[in-house]
Amino acid sequence: MSSITTHDTPRGFSFSEYMTCLTGIVWREGLRFLHQRERFVSALVRPLVWLFIFAAGFRQVLGISIIPPYETYILYEVFIAPGLMAMIQLFNGMQSSLSMVYDREMGNMRTLLVSPLPRGFLLFCKLLAGTAVSLLQVYAFLLIAWFWDITPPPIGYLTVLPALILSGLMLGSLGMLISSGIKQLESFAGVMNFVIFPMFFASSALYPLWRVQEGSPFLYYVCEANPFTHAVELIRFALYGQVNWISLAVVATCTIVFMTGAIFAYDPSRGLARRGPAGGEG
C-alpha cells in the first residue's frame, strides 16, 4: 500500500530541470527579438527623438536646479536620460505583453502553460526573458547617449544594472497583468494608450516634480503615486551610485503585486479558462 502511495505522489523537479525551462524560454524570446530587428530600432527611435529634438527645444524653457542625485547644474538632456531609459523598459514590457496576447490567439500559450512546471515559474521565466531584452536596448541607448555627452560616472553603468532589472521586472509584470485581461489582439493598442502615455507623462521622466508641484499640486500627488515615477527615480539615483530607498520599496512592492496578480489571472480555474477558444486554454 505504501509503495502505491509513493508511486502516485508526484515527484519534485530538479534544479537542472528548472534551468532547462528557463533557458528554453529565454532563448525563444531572444530569437524572437533577433528576428524582429525593427523592434530594436523602434525601441531606440522614441527615446532618441526626445533626446536629440525635444530636449534641444526644452533646454531653454525647463531649467533644472541642483536636486539629488546631482551635485551641480545639469543640462536638460542629462536630466531626462533616466526617464528615457525607463521609457524603453515601459514600451518593451508592453511589447512583451503584446506577444503574450499573440501567443494566446495562436495557441502557443497553451503549450507553455500545460507544462508540469509551476505556472508561476513559467510566467516568471517569460518575465525574465523580456527584462533581459530590455537591458540590451537600454545599454544600446546609453552607448548612443555617450556620444551626446551624457556621461554618468563610469561606475554608474554597473550600479544602474540592479535598478534596471528591478524596474524591468515591475513594468514587464504590469504588462503581463494587462495582457491577461485582453481577449483580442486588436484591442491591445487601445488599452496601451490608457496605460503607457499617462504613466510616462505623469511622472518625473521629463520634468522635476518640484516644477509639477508649482503648477498643479494635485498633479504632483498623482505623479508621486505613479509607480513609473519611482522606477525613473530608482534608475536616476543608481546611475550616480546612490540608492533612493523609497523608490526601491515602491518598485519592489509593485513588482510583487503585479506579478502575483498576473499569476492569479493566468490560473486556468480563474483566468484564461473563462475566455473561450481564442487561445485554446478554455
Side-chain angles (χ1 to χ4, degrees), residues 185-208:
L185 196 63
E186 293 77 9
S187 306
F188 187 85
V191 173
M192 289 304 97
N193 288 332
F194 290 99
V195 176
I196 291 180
F197 294 110
M199 287 191 71
F200 179 66
F201 288 108
S203 71
S204 60
L206 300 179
Y207 21 73

Side-chain angles (χ1 to χ4, degrees), residues 162-173:
L164 290 173
I165 293 175
L166 185 57
S167 60
L169 290 175
M170 183 193 76
L171 296 171
S173 60

Side-chain angles (χ1 to χ4, degrees), residues 15 20 50 140 157 264:
F15 177 76
T20 300
W50 278 99
Y157 293 100
F264 180 87

Side-chain angles (χ1 to χ4, degrees), residues 71-191:
E71 298 178 352
T72 182
Y73 288 101
I74 57 172
L75 294 176
Y76 181 65
E77 294 94 317
V78 176
F79 177 81
I80 66 172
L84 298 180
M85 294 163 62
M87 182 178 73
I88 293 175
Q89 294 193 305
L90 175 63
F91 276 88
N92 182 79
M94 298 305 115
Q95 287 280 354
S96 296
S97 63
L98 172 62
S99 70
M100 293 190 71
V101 177
Y102 177 82
D103 287 345
R104 191 167 70 231
E105 286 199 346
M106 297 297 104
N108 298 332
M109 185 61 67
R110 178 177 59 180
T111 305
L112 175 66
L113 295 183
V114 297
S115 168
L117 288 162
R119 188 174 303 271
F121 178 76
L122 296 172
L123 293 176
F124 184 69
C125 290
K126 178 74 173 176
L127 181 59
L128 280 180
T131 302
V133 169
S134 74
L135 292 179
L136 296 176
Q137 296 170 334
V138 169
Y139 275 99
F141 168 76
L142 284 174
L143 178 62
I144 298 175
W146 184 82
F147 291 99
W148 202 253
D149 288 333
I150 299 177
T151 54
I155 192 63
Y157 293 100
L158 181 61
T159 57
V160 77
L161 180 59
L164 290 173
I165 293 175
L166 185 57
S167 60
L169 290 175
M170 183 193 76
L171 296 171
S173 60
L174 174 61
M176 188 177 294
L177 178 60
I178 294 173
S179 71
S180 68
I182 300 178
K183 299 180 180 180
Q184 296 179 339
L185 196 63
E186 293 77 9
S187 306
F188 187 85
V191 173

